[in-house]
Amino acid sequence: MAQGVKWPFEIPIHPLRGRKNAKMTVMTGSCHCGAVRFRAEATATHLVRCNCSLCHAKGALLIPIGEIQSFEILEGEAELTSYRFNSGVAEHLFCRRCGIHPFHRPRFDPRRWSVNARCLDAGLPDLPIEEFDGQNWEKAARAEGWQPPESPAE
């Protein structure tokens, strides 16, 4: 399961996508039953809707990893259960009591976090939604600047 539940980031992957009005915001949230609580500091300029089979099924709108400067699980880490599929790199975390997915470690960079904006205490932010073609993950991720890890030399 998740290791190092607090992770300060210094350099975002995407430098705010040209939106200069974005401000750092402290966001808190939880799963549906409240057993899992989290806190994130983010400069959210947009939300992401991914169409991969899992994101489509769970209906998440994500605050992208490049806009989350810090993340911390406040309560309920023991209540989380992990699910991995396809490449096995991304770690999707769900509350074992209510089944809600409040956050995950994405395949794009599994050292970082992405937050399900639908789980925020303040409600869904009024931000533009950008589509991510998770059905064609490698091609879409490369367009966002992702590079596959290098294979070990033989």
Side-chain angles (χ1 to χ4, degrees), residues 29-44:
S30 69
C31 62
H32 186 261
C33 72
V36 176
R37 294 208 40 80
F38 64 90
R39 176 184 182 276
E41 291 182 0
T43 311

Side-chain angles (χ1 to χ4, degrees), residues 9-149:
F9 305 111
E10 297 178 15
I11 302 171
I13 290 175
H14 299 290
L16 303 183
R17 297 191 182 255
R19 297 178 181 101
K20 297 176 183 168
N21 298 346
K23 295 180 182 168
M24 175 80 74
T25 304
V26 174
M27 304 172 181
T28 58
S30 69
C31 62
H32 186 261
C33 72
V36 176
R37 294 208 40 80
F38 64 90
R39 176 184 182 276
E41 291 182 0
T43 311
T45 64
H46 69 289
L47 302 174
V48 173
R49 180 174 29 232
C50 175
N51 69 355
C52 78
S53 58
L54 183 60
C55 288
H56 177 76
K58 66 187 174 187
L61 288 174
L62 304 168
I63 298 172
I65 64 173
E67 297 186 354
I68 297 176
Q69 284 73 36
S70 69
F71 177 83
E72 183 177 9
I73 298 172
L74 300 174
E75 296 175 31
E77 185 174 4
E79 297 301 323
L80 291 169
T81 189
S82 176
Y83 177 69
R84 296 174 189 259
F85 74 107
N86 193 8
S87 70
V89 175
E91 183 178 26
H92 302 270
L93 298 163
F94 296 84
C95 173
R96 67 177 73 245
R97 291 185 191 179
C98 66
I100 294 299
H101 157 76
F103 44 79
H104 73 281
R105 289 196 179 270
R107 181 177 174 190
F108 202 98
D109 185 346
R111 298 167 301 165
R112 300 179 86 163
W113 296 91
S114 183
V115 169
N116 182 354
R118 294 186 186 277
C119 292
L120 295 174
D121 292 337
L124 194 61
D126 184 21
L127 295 170
I129 297 172
E130 295 184 11
E131 305 294 331
F132 181 80
D133 185 10
Q135 291 180 3
N136 298 292
W137 196 92
E138 286 81 5
K139 180 180 177 184
R142 281 190 180 96
E144 296 286 327
W146 176 82
Q147 295 297 317

